[in-house]
Amino acid sequence: MKTILTGIRVNSELTLGNFLGALLPMTRLANKYSDEYNINIFVADLHTIIAEQDGGLQHNLLMLIKMYLAAGLKVNDNVHIYRQSYVPATSEMTWILNCVATMGELGRMIQYKEKGRGEDSCNVGIFDYPVLMATDILLFDGNYIPVGQDQFQHIELTRDIAIRVNHRYGEIFTVPEKTSEQAKFMGSNDGIRIRDLVNPEKKMSKSAKAENSKIMMTDDPEKVAKKIMSATTDSLGEIDFDLKKRPGISNLLQIEALVNDRPLDEVVAEWKGKSNYGDLKKKVAESVSTMLADFQARLAKITDEEVYELMETGEKYANKLANAKLLKLQKAFELR
Ligand code: TYM
């Protein structure tokens, strides 16, 4: 059986970018394919500790899984939910893959360049983060990895590492699909990137300082409407989808499409050429607020106990598979 797999860090509660870029696509794919694919959903708690946290790691971790359930994830025997650090083979395999990946490759990763800024004080975890991510994927032979566009470079690196190991030691890893195929599988042309509402040149990020830049999934719907109404647009005076010239308006069109699960082309055709940006903002604010009100009502009903039970079951499954894969790699490296 093929595997669809994704992880999310829990440095804070989630933004609308995390939700639309990864959590919702994963939930939709899981519900569509969980009879024929393994679905692995994990909390990237080891990736979380590379940076400061806001709100408490354990609190955010429970919230993350609750958010999948509130988004409508249906759990059956093929859906596996686990915490990354509860699968110790992850750390062990990361070390081995550290001896495969190169400084040059990791130094070219955009996230490292942005987060580490080449400073001596940058922790080694930030530099090594893509190898840990490659391990998460290769441990479980992940084929499809629903992530936002910002993670595509890490998937390409994962492919390179897998191909290199297989070339040297025989067929050890499944090579995940190319990012162009990943995007298609998620139903997008080139991956999803939700923009910062104040500065739409940048992606919407948990770590943005300005409150109006990002929508948190726990924001109350009125606050969300205000943030969307004040989003930066442009002075061209005509709605169209053009990420270069009109990143703010294009972002709103994309949000409108994703929240309502409608094709982007269809939404763009509906608004193209219109001049009243306010009408579009009002419509997007209404779509997001309605979605969040329902989502938050469902979220409030999910208990911690429910989440712990799912994670403990998932971790038994994950450890079995991960230990077998690790042993295969250890044997290839003559460690066993
Ligand atoms: P993280 O926690 O930074 O982000 C979680 C997911 O949200 C997506 N995302 C976005 N998508 C669209 N627009 C945005 N503005 C936006 N911001 C964030 C990210 O692309 C991601 O899919 N390294 C990963 C976690 C991870 C992982 C893995 C993912 C660890 N191991 C293995 C897949 C497979 C990360 O830090 O994502």
Side-chain angles (χ1 to χ4, degrees):
M1 217 154 55
K2 288 190 173 179
T3 298
I4 309 175
L5 167 157
T6 205
I8 296 185
R9 283 184 298 134
V10 286
N11 293 73
S12 67
E13 288 181 359
L14 298 198
T15 67
L16 185 69
N18 298 133
F19 184 77
L20 296 180
L23 193 145
L24 191 59
M26 182 59 171
T27 301
R28 287 178 178 153
L29 289 171
N31 290 348
K32 190 167 166 191
Y33 291 116
S34 66
D35 289 336
E36 40 181 321
Y37 285 77
N38 279 311
I39 309 293
N40 288 20
I41 291 175
F42 67 93
V43 182
D45 54 355
L46 293 172
H47 277 102
T48 299
I49 62 171
I50 61 161
E52 279 175 19
Q53 296 126 48
D54 181 16
L57 192 151
Q58 293 299 324
H59 164 81
N60 294 341
L61 177 160
L62 290 170
M63 279 299 267
L64 171 64
I65 303 306
K66 288 182 184 179
M67 286 192 180
Y68 275 105
L69 300 174
L73 177 73
K74 295 196 191 82
V75 179
N76 65 18
D77 287 349
N78 291 336
V79 176
H80 314 289
I81 295 173
Y82 51 93
R83 289 160 282 192
Q84 184 186 33
S85 76
Y86 280 66
V87 183
T90 306
S91 305
E92 192 97 18
M93 191 192 282
T94 300
W95 178 256
I96 301 180
L97 296 185
N98 275 338
C99 302
V100 175
T102 68
M103 298 286 286
E105 280 172 327
L106 298 186
R108 284 193 289 278
M109 295 293 119
I110 296 163
Q111 289 229 330
Y112 162 64
K113 287 194 202 161
E114 284 175 2
K115 287 206 175 87
R117 290 178 208 95
E119 287 167 18
D120 281 355
S121 59
C122 163
N123 71 59
V124 177
I126 292 180
F127 183 67
D128 200 28
Y129 154 125
V131 181
L132 179 59
M133 180 162 164
T135 300
D136 294 329
I137 298 170
L138 301 177
L139 255 181
F140 298 99
D141 290 314
N143 302 89
Y144 289 104
I145 322 296
V147 285
Q149 200 188 49
D150 62 305
Q151 297 295 323
F152 277 14
Q153 199 186 18
H154 298 155
I155 295 188
E156 288 300 340
L157 175 74
T158 303
R159 284 172 49 82
D160 291 343
I161 292 176
I163 291 167
R164 199 171 307 150
V165 169
N166 288 351
H167 180 72
R168 285 187 201 157
Y169 302 102
E171 289 304 301
I172 293 187
F173 293 133
T174 298
V175 180
E177 297 291 334
K178 287 195 182 108
T179 46
S180 52
E181 293 303 315
Q182 301 279 353
K184 255 192 245 160
F185 191 67
M186 286 172 72
S188 102
N189 291 335
D190 47 9
I192 297 164
R193 180 180 172 89
I194 301 299
R195 311 296 179 113
D196 181 300
L197 294 178
V198 175
N199 182 357
E201 307 291 331
K202 297 201 297 198
K203 71 162 187 174
M204 184 181 286
S205 165
K206 288 171 193 157
S207 54
K209 296 260 167 353
E211 164 84 351
N212 281 346
S213 288
K214 56 189 175 188
I215 292 173
M216 303 306 292
M217 292 304 290
T218 44
D219 278 352
D220 75 66
E222 276 155 38
K223 191 161 158 192
V224 169
K226 272 198 201 125
K227 288 182 184 178
I228 294 178
M229 292 310 291
S230 67
T232 305
T233 50
D234 56 66
S235 52
L236 295 170
E238 195 182 294
I239 296 174
D240 198 2
F241 190 82
D242 181 339
L243 285 167
K244 286 227 163 69
K245 291 194 193 126
R246 298 171 167 89
I249 281 290
S250 303
N251 193 33
L252 295 178
L253 289 167
Q254 178 148 48
I255 292 173
E256 174 68 7
L258 289 169
V259 166
N260 294 303
D261 198 16
R262 292 179 63 198
L264 178 62
D265 295 352
E266 199 180 288
V267 173
V268 173
E270 204 172 285
W271 290 91
K272 195 176 159 88
K274 294 189 176 159
S275 58
N276 196 336
Y277 287 7
D279 286 350
L280 175 62
K281 285 184 171 177
K282 247 187 248 160
K283 177 67 180 68
V284 178
E286 193 186 295
S287 296
V288 178
S289 301
T290 307
M291 182 269 287
L292 280 182
D294 291 349
F295 174 81
Q296 290 169 4
R298 286 194 297 272
L299 191 64
K301 293 199 186 114
I302 304 162
T303 64
D304 292 357
E305 288 69 32
E306 220 174 309
V307 175
Y308 282 122
E309 206 177 308
L310 286 171
M311 294 193 300
E312 282 157 18
T313 309
E315 282 149 15
K316 279 190 197 126
Y317 160 90
N319 274 306
K320 223 166 153 183
L321 246 74
N323 290 339
K325 182 62 88 180
L326 174 64
L327 182 62
K328 214 168 164 185
L329 190 68
Q330 286 171 324
K331 284 185 176 159
F333 279 78
E334 294 185 44
L335 292 165
R336 291 287 182 279

